Amino acid sequence: MPTSSAAAEPRNEDWKNTILAGLANYIDAGSIVAGSAALALWQEAYKLNNDLIGLIAAFGPNAISAGVGAMIGGRLCDLFGRKKIYQYDMLFYAFGMLWLVFAVNAWMVTLGFFLVGLAVGADIPASWSLIAEMAPKNERGKHSGVAQVLWYLGPVVVLLMFLILTPLGLLGARIVFAHLAILAIALTFLRSRMQESQRWLAAQEAAPRDTAQPKPGRIRELFTRQHIGSMAFLSGMYLFWNLWAGTNGFFFPYILRTVGDQSQAVAVAVQTLSFLLGMASIFFIFMKLADRVNQRLLFGISAVTQIIGMSLLALFPLTLPLAILHVFLMSIGGGFGAQSFFQLWSSEMFPTLLRSTAQGVMFAVVRIALGIFSFFVPALTATGFTTLAWILVGFLVISGVIGFIWAPRNEGKSLEELEAELKAAA
C-alpha cells in the first residue's frame, strides 16, 4: 500500500500540470481584455481610424488569428505531441507581445496583435487536450474547471492593473503587456519540466507500423459521419454562445454609460465583479458537480439562467440595479455553462490522435465566425438597444437548445472507455 505522502504526490503533480497548462486561458483572456482596454490609447496615440480598429479587433486574439493558430497548432499537437506545442508556443507569444510593449506606430500594433492571436490559438487545443489526458478519471471536469477559472482570472488582473496604472496612460498599457510577456517566458521554462501526455504516447505506440494499414490520426478520419456530427454539435453550441459573448463584450461599456453615466472606476468595478462571480460559479458549481451529476441538466440550468439574464435588458428600462442583476445572472450562469462544457466535451468526444485536431478545427470555426460577425456589430448597435438585446437572447436560446438536446453523458467515464464507445459506434 502506498503511503499517504506518496499518494498525494501524484495528485499534487496532476494539479500542477493542470495549472501550468491552464495558464494558456489566463493569457488568452488577458490578451483580449488588455487589447480592448488599450484600444482607445492606441487610437489617440497613433491616429487609428475606425476601419483599422475594426481590422485589429477582427484579426486579434479574440477572433480570426486565434482561430488560424488553433487550427494549425491543434494538428501539429496530434502529430508531434502536446509538449512541443504548448512549450515553445509561449516563446512565440512573448515575441508577439513584445511588439505591443514597444509599439510606436499602427503597423506594430497590428502585427503584434496578430502574432499574439496565432500563439494563443495554438496553445488552446494543446493545453485543453493535456488537461483532459492527465486528469484522473473522475476529476476531468474539475481539472477542466481550473483552466476556466484562470480564463476569468486573466481579465480581473488586467482590469485592476489598468485601473491602477491609468495615470500613466500608454506607459501603463505597456506595463500590462509586459507582464503577459514575462509570464509567457516563465511558462516556457516551467513547462519544460512537464512530461508528455502518457495517453498520447500510448496511442502513438499502438498505431500500426505496417504502411499497408491505415495509420490512426489521419486528418481525413476526422471527417467521418460520427466526428462531423460531434463537431457540428459542439461548434454550434459554442458558436452561438460566443456570438452573444463577443457582442455583449462590445456593448457592455454602453450599458454602464447608459445606466447613469458611470465613472471609469465604477465600470471597471462592475466588470471585475462579473469575472469574480464567474470564477465563483466555476469553482462552486462546475468543478463540484460536473463529474458527478447529469451534465445535460447542469448545462440546461446554465442556459436558462443566462437567457433570463439577457432578457432583462430587452424587457425593462436600463437602471443600475437591473444592470447588476443582469451581470449576476449572466456571470453565474456562464460559469458552469457553454464555455466550460465546450472545453470538457471537446476533449472527450474524439480519439486521442485526433483530439487536438478536432479542437483546433472547432475553435477556428468559432473564432473566425466571431471575427467576421464583429464587422456587423456596429450596424446592429445602430438598430437600437432593445433590438440588439433580443438578438443576443436569440443567440443564447439557440446555443442552449443545441447543447441541451445533444449533450453527451460522459460523467464518470475514463477517456479509454469513451474511446471504446466511439469505436463501437463507428
Side-chain angles (χ1 to χ4, degrees):
M1 294 289 290
T3 64
S4 59
S5 60
E9 186 175 349
R11 283 185 57 84
N12 291 338
E13 191 69 18
D14 287 340
W15 286 112
K16 175 185 174 183
N17 290 335
T18 293
I19 292 170
L20 288 178
L23 279 167
N25 282 26
Y26 175 99
I27 282 178
D28 177 18
S31 301
I32 294 169
V33 173
S36 175
L39 205 53
L41 298 172
W42 286 333
Q43 184 177 25
E44 181 180 349
Y46 308 134
K47 312 302 180 187
L48 305 182
N49 58 42
N50 290 334
D51 290 338
L52 187 55
I53 290 175
L55 196 67
I56 291 172
F59 282 88
N62 193 37
I64 293 174
S65 64
V68 173
M71 187 175 293
I72 296 171
R75 186 60 191 148
L76 293 176
C77 191
D78 280 335
L79 290 175
F80 303 110
R82 284 68 168 116
K83 182 175 179 178
K84 288 182 180 178
I85 304 304
Y86 71 64
Q87 180 180 347
Y88 296 111
D89 173 70
M90 286 293 95
L91 287 178
F92 188 82
Y93 174 91
F95 173 72
M97 189 57 71
L98 288 175
W99 283 92
L100 300 179
V101 173
F102 297 106
V104 294
N105 51 45
W107 75 263
M108 292 180 71
V109 169
T110 305
L111 177 62
F113 228 38
F114 181 75
L115 294 176
V116 164
L118 287 176
V120 162
D123 204 275
I124 291 296
S127 300
W128 287 4
S129 292
L130 191 75
I131 289 170
E133 290 168 3
M134 287 188 167
K137 171 183 175 179
N138 295 318
E139 294 185 350
R140 204 161 46 246
K142 184 179 292 186
H143 282 254
S144 296
V146 170
Q148 292 304 318
V149 168
L150 290 170
W151 194 95
Y152 279 78
L153 181 62
V156 171
V157 174
V158 166
L159 285 170
L160 292 177
M161 287 184 71
F162 265 102
L163 182 62
I164 294 169
L165 299 172
T166 295
L168 299 181
L170 196 56
L171 175 60
R174 297 184 195 277
I175 293 172
V176 174
F177 291 129
H179 116 272
L180 291 170
I182 292 170
L183 177 59
I185 294 171
L187 267 180
T188 299
F189 292 102
L190 292 171
R191 285 177 167 185
S192 67
R193 302 177 182 179
M194 293 174 64
Q195 300 297 313
E196 178 58 88
S197 164
Q198 294 303 306
R199 283 188 167 93
W200 181 82
L201 290 173
Q204 283 286 318
E205 186 66 26
R209 303 300 176 187
D210 184 352
T211 55
Q213 299 184 55
K215 185 177 180 180
R218 294 177 304 171
I219 194 166
R220 70 181 184 182
E221 289 186 28
L222 190 62
F223 298 98
T224 61
R225 181 177 179 180
Q226 182 183 31
H227 293 328
I228 287 176
S230 297
M231 288 194 294
F233 152 63
L234 288 166
S235 297
M237 178 271 290
Y238 192 47
L239 169 61
F240 282 100
W241 185 86
N242 254 274
L243 291 178
W244 161 78
T247 309
N248 188 70
F250 177 90
F251 211 67
F252 192 65
Y254 169 85
I255 297 173
L256 295 175
R257 290 195 303 270
T258 304
V259 296
D261 193 24
Q262 302 300 317
S263 66
Q264 176 68 10
V266 171
V268 171
V270 174
Q271 286 179 303
T272 302
L273 174 64
S274 71
F275 288 116
L276 291 173
L277 287 171
M279 291 168 66
S281 173
I282 295 167
F283 183 81
F284 290 107
I285 301 177
F286 185 79
M287 291 177 63
K288 303 293 186 185
L289 300 178
D291 295 305
R292 298 163 42 206
V293 305
N294 184 321
Q295 292 178 354
R296 177 181 287 114
L297 178 61
L298 195 61
F299 177 90
I301 294 171
S302 161
V304 170
T305 302
Q306 288 203 296
I307 290 168
I308 293 172
M310 194 66 228
S311 297
L312 292 176
L313 297 187
L315 292 171
F316 302 106
L318 286 171
T319 62
L320 183 56
L322 186 80
I324 293 175
L325 179 59
H326 161 79
V327 166
F328 178 82
L329 292 174
M330 302 310 293
S331 299
I332 295 296
F336 64 99
Q339 178 148 305
S340 295
F341 276 113
F342 177 75
Q343 177 184 342
L344 179 62
W345 289 337
S346 66
S347 300
E348 296 175 337
M349 297 180 71
F350 303 92
T352 299
L353 294 182
L354 285 173
R355 182 169 291 121
S356 292
T357 303
Q359 287 180 328
V361 169
M362 292 184 294
F363 199 77
V365 168
V366 171
R367 287 291 177 100
I368 292 173
L370 180 58
I372 295 172
F373 183 75
S374 67
F375 284 114
F376 300 98
V377 171
L380 284 174
T381 61
T383 64
F385 177 75
T386 301
T387 301
L388 179 60
W390 280 121
I391 291 173
L392 298 183
V393 170
F395 288 158
L396 291 173
V397 169
I398 295 171
S399 171
V401 170
I402 293 173
F404 185 76
I405 291 177
W406 285 285
R409 293 295 308 276
N410 296 338
E411 59 269 15
K413 299 177 183 178
S414 70
L415 290 179
E416 288 75 20
E417 290 171 326
L418 293 173
E419 192 157 342
E421 290 179 2
L422 287 174
K423 291 179 180 178

